[in-house]
Amino acid sequence: MSEQFPLRISAMFRSGISGYVKNLFPLTAAAAVTIAVFGVFRFWAQVASDDGKTFQSIVFDLVGLVLAGTVSLPWFAYALDAARGKQIDLAAPWRSGAQFAAQLVCAIFFWAAFMLGLRYLAGIPSILAALFYGFYGYVVADRAAKGGLRALGTSVRLGTKRRVALFAILALFAIFNLLAAIPLGYGVSALTVVPTLALLTVTASITLVGGACLYDALTERLGEQ
């Protein structure tokens, strides 16, 4: 990720787009389920916030993020298969309850840290959580570690000595996903929220496949050390 860094970024995006187009249905379906789970709790959180119930709003948001992070396991698994050019086995992620348990543990730690960062210390803990633990979904889906805590530890090791490059990639992915919010520029209504969510299933899936390519590259380098 030094001299070839721009090339690798473009390669990740190309792989993300190609992998998504070739596996449109499974990736879109997994994305829709994940976003829908969070969306339900985000709605309740907004209602609680409008009623002045700040604590309840925070709880709804955290629960929504943790549950969405847990049910996103198939999305990560499908993204890995897409990045590797494999035929996606829709049922594969559902065959092991242990994987979902590990994903739940990771989601609790990750999203608790992320939400803490959004509310305090100028968002720095959120950035650190993404940089250190952002690969946990791939690790669990890839069965590269047993248990949620070990998956988090593996995620940390994958980014060792590459935090600056990972921050740049994270920023680019975030900007790319912000494109989905363009309809909201015309106001918040059903006519803008629905296309925004539809676009997000696309941009987020492309990002997830691109991230899977990065995960494989980092895993290969970690194995060589």
Side-chain angles (χ1 to χ4, degrees):
M1 293 187 190
S2 53
E3 296 178 0
Q4 296 182 341
F5 178 64
L7 175 61
R8 296 198 176 194
I9 287 290
S10 62
M12 275 189 288
F13 273 103
R14 287 198 304 270
S15 296
I17 294 171
S18 174
Y20 174 67
V21 171
K22 292 177 181 177
N23 301 277
L24 192 66
F25 172 74
L27 286 169
T28 301
V33 170
T34 302
I35 294 170
V37 169
F38 172 69
V40 170
F41 284 88
R42 177 82 279 276
F43 172 77
W44 290 341
Q46 188 60 52
V47 171
S49 180
D50 292 342
D51 290 340
K53 301 175 181 178
T54 304
F55 179 74
Q56 288 186 18
S57 177
I58 294 173
V59 170
F60 277 131
D61 269 334
L62 181 57
V63 171
L65 287 168
V66 170
L67 290 180
T70 303
V71 301
S72 69
L73 176 61
W75 197 11
F76 279 98
Y78 300 160
L80 277 172
D81 285 343
R84 294 168 178 173
K86 296 182 179 179
Q87 182 175 357
I88 290 178
D89 181 354
L90 294 176
W94 304 94
R95 296 190 182 115
S96 174
Q99 277 187 286
F100 277 97
Q103 187 82 347
L104 173 61
V105 171
C106 291
I108 291 172
F109 278 91
F110 179 84
W111 289 112
F114 193 88
M115 281 198 64
L116 175 68
L118 289 180
R119 293 182 176 274
Y120 305 103
L121 301 176
I124 294 176
S126 299
I127 297 173
L128 293 177
L131 289 177
F132 283 84
Y133 303 120
F135 292 103
Y136 78 83
Y138 299 112
V139 177
V140 174
D142 200 27
R143 294 181 172 87
K146 292 183 178 180
L149 295 180
R150 290 185 177 181
L152 291 171
T154 299
S155 178
V156 172
R157 290 194 297 275
L158 285 172
T160 300
K161 298 181 181 180
R162 300 182 181 90
R163 305 297 175 196
V164 175
L166 289 178
F167 177 78
I169 294 171
L170 178 66
L172 287 173
F173 279 165
I175 293 171
F176 177 65
N177 280 280
L178 282 176
L179 295 176
I182 290 177
L184 294 180
Y186 296 94
V188 179
S189 67
L191 293 176
T192 57
V193 171
V194 171
T196 291
L197 293 178
L199 286 171
L200 187 59
T201 64
V202 175
T203 59
S205 293
I206 291 173
T207 298
L208 216 63
V209 177
C213 295
L214 177 60
Y215 164 79
D216 279 341
L218 292 175
T219 299
E220 182 179 350
R221 290 194 176 192
L222 184 64
E224 294 173 352
Q225 293 177 356

